[in-house]
Amino acid sequence: MKKYQLFIDGKFVDSESGECRPVINPATEEPIATVPVAQKGDAKRAIEAARKSFDSRSWSGMDVRERAKILMRVVDKLRSRQEELATIESAESGATIRMTSMMEIPIGIEHFKALVELGERIPAYEPLPWIDMPAVSWNFVNREPIGVCAGIVPWNLPFMIMAWKVAPALIMGNSMVLKPSTDTPLTALELAATAAECGLPPGVLNVVTGSGPVVGEELCANPMVDKIAFTGSTQTGKRVMKLGADTIKKVTLELGGKSPTIICDDADLSIAVDGALFGTFFHAGQFCESGTRCFVPASIYDTFMAQLAERVGHIKLGDTADYETTMGPVVSKAQLARVLGYIETGRKEGARLVCGGGRPPELSKGWFVQPTVFEEVPNSATIAREEIFGPVLTVIRYKNVDDAIAMANDSVYGLGGAVFSRDVPKAITIAKRIRTGTVWVNDFHLVNALAPFGGYKQSGVGRELGPHGLLEYTQVKHIHVDLGLQRSQKFWYDYIFND
Ligand code: TXE
């Protein structure tokens, strides 16, 4: 069993305490590796290394084209390791190998590449309009890295979410300390090893494995950290924001969701039924933008539900290392208990169970949950309001489109959503009225590296991906060059002189 170490200042090192913990495969419940349990002192060492590298300008002062060359070497090396990374990611997160090898790792690498290419093209110099009051001056904005960024990553898509933080932070010239989730720390350490091999200067990327309350809180509170990029639950996001407030850190948060899928009465059901199921059951529902509330019009309700119930039966649970398996377990025993608890609440609150509703009896090992569909759920029910983060879909009947949009927007979250209709202009009009950061028309989950991703309301602050996401990793400095070269032209000095 591989024993991993922390990655600090360009070297793999043990934690100060020497304590390690196993990483468990959620499909087999067996340990697959061990990682250090870092303490605050380890987090501080990593922050100091990042600070030193940033202040030395070994990376931040490098020409962006040189930074891009090194990061593109990382991309090439990651591509050559794609299969190996897909296997590790599947084993640590419980995602199927079908998903990690066909989607998460290759697309995560492509997103990394796209963000590096996009960042390279963001100009450091932004001219401002001519200013001649109170006298002629030349003004421009210098776009600069922020400094030391903390990247806090959850367990649902560890490689991809890490790529969304590391690539923009580094191409824009920052140094970073990355804290993966305790459940899924391995691909972060693999990325660090690859980056070091490709010539990334020491201290620019550091990886510290440890708990949120210990390592995560140190990263959020330490005065040497300038920015926090956090993905995780809304509850922890609130804590992160409060901790960052003491030293006025820039904070971007990508948090929970309860995304609506609105099926229109003119939808192509061969796309809409599978789309609604893909929106909820992909990766056992462990996407923050998952479409867990499906709004179906009364006029096609029975037909839609009959097709939906039939199609759920085609989702195959089982060995995550088998390419035929299409749905894996949830990430941990704690998450299993949480999801089963919500299913119980759904039953108690009177929702009608269409299928699923528990652990699959045919699988004796692993934290699996059957794909579960509830119907006749009021939008006020707990299972329609709270993020479950498991394979649970609630179907809600609606009378007219205004009614559907009102219910879709009646949520504290605002991350994603979808509209299914053959009438694309109508679907776009509905999409514009949904108060979320992304809406797909006739699809779901297709996150685009060139488009901003993030939430309205309690789903987050700021954006990841695209130019909007890259700019979150920069500071803007206004430089004013006064063109009045004679003392007599600077009449405003006479506000303090009278001679
Ligand atoms: O999330 P946390 P958890 C939701 C989902 C899930 C629930 C709980 O509903 O059921 O959150 O999962 C680190 N200071 N999402 O407990 O706590 C932690 O170590 C600083 C939605 O895993 O948000 C991990 O690295 N950091 C979500 C990261 O924060 C702290 C993805 C996320 O953990 C910390 C995951 C603290 N005090 C869960 N406490 C999404 N939006 O994609 C924890 N962390």
Side-chain angles (χ1 to χ4, degrees), residues 240-254:
V240 164
M241 206 171 196
K242 282 181 190 147
L243 287 168
D246 276 343
T247 44
I248 315 290
K249 295 190 200 316
K250 180 163 181 170
V251 178
T252 47
L253 304 172
E254 201 267 274

Side-chain angles (χ1 to χ4, degrees), residues 72-303:
M72 291 312 268
R73 285 209 292 271
V74 175
V75 168
D76 288 341
K77 184 81 187 162
L78 290 173
R79 280 179 174 158
S80 72
R81 301 187 60 200
Q82 207 163 290
E83 221 174 298
E84 180 199 354
L85 291 168
T87 305
I88 296 172
E89 183 88 340
S90 168
E92 69 173 334
S93 73
T96 61
I97 189 75
R98 190 182 175 91
M99 186 263 208
T100 59
S101 67
M102 285 161 55
M103 189 286 258
E104 194 195 346
I105 302 296
I107 295 180
I109 297 171
E110 289 318 299
H111 283 187
F112 193 111
K113 174 172 174 281
L115 290 165
V116 170
E117 288 171 344
L118 202 56
E120 195 184 351
R121 293 200 298 272
I122 289 182
Y125 171 82
E126 292 174 20
L128 290 172
W130 190 252
I131 293 172
D132 54 13
M133 276 297 285
V136 178
S137 61
W138 165 37
N139 292 263
F140 62 93
V141 165
N142 198 45
R143 204 165 266 284
E144 302 176 356
I146 294 183
V148 173
C149 302
I152 302 181
V153 177
W155 40 260
N156 54 329
L157 289 173
F159 183 84
M160 190 176 258
I161 294 174
M162 168 176 77
W164 295 353
K165 297 187 179 358
V166 173
L170 268 45
I171 188 62
M172 300 319 288
N174 302 281
S175 294
M176 180 163 244
V177 181
L178 197 62
K179 193 205 88 60
S181 160
T182 37
D183 291 320
T184 55
L186 303 184
T187 44
L189 291 163
E190 296 290 347
L191 172 74
T194 296
E197 272 176 45
C198 295
L200 194 72
V204 172
L205 178 65
N206 308 274
V207 181
V208 184
T209 56
S211 79
V214 177
V215 172
E217 299 224 351
E218 180 61 35
L219 293 178
C220 295
N222 192 299
M224 278 190 277
V225 173
D226 301 286
K227 175 197 156 85
I228 309 166
F230 172 85
T231 303
S233 63
T234 294
Q235 194 188 359
T236 303
K238 290 177 186 177
R239 172 90 184 130
V240 164
M241 206 171 196
K242 282 181 190 147
L243 287 168
D246 276 343
T247 44
I248 315 290
K249 295 190 200 316
K250 180 163 181 170
V251 178
T252 47
L253 304 172
E254 201 267 274
L255 307 174
K258 196 74 197 173
S259 300
T261 298
I262 298 183
I263 311 291
C264 295
D265 55 7
D266 61 354
D268 175 342
L269 291 196
S270 67
I271 292 176
V273 170
D274 284 4
L277 294 176
F278 173 65
T280 316
F281 294 133
F282 189 32
H283 192 24
Q286 298 169 110
F287 281 95
C288 41
E289 77 277 6
S290 288
T292 45
R293 290 182 300 151
C294 184
F295 296 95
V296 182
S299 55
I300 59 163
Y301 189 88
D302 292 342
T303 315

Side-chain angles (χ1 to χ4, degrees), residues 20 55 134-135 147 175 190 195 337 341 351 373 376 386 423 478 480 492 496:
C20 287
D55 293 344
S175 294
E190 296 290 347
V373 180
E376 305 303 351
E386 295 184 14
D423 181 345
H478 166 206
H480 171 118
W492 50 92
I496 66 158

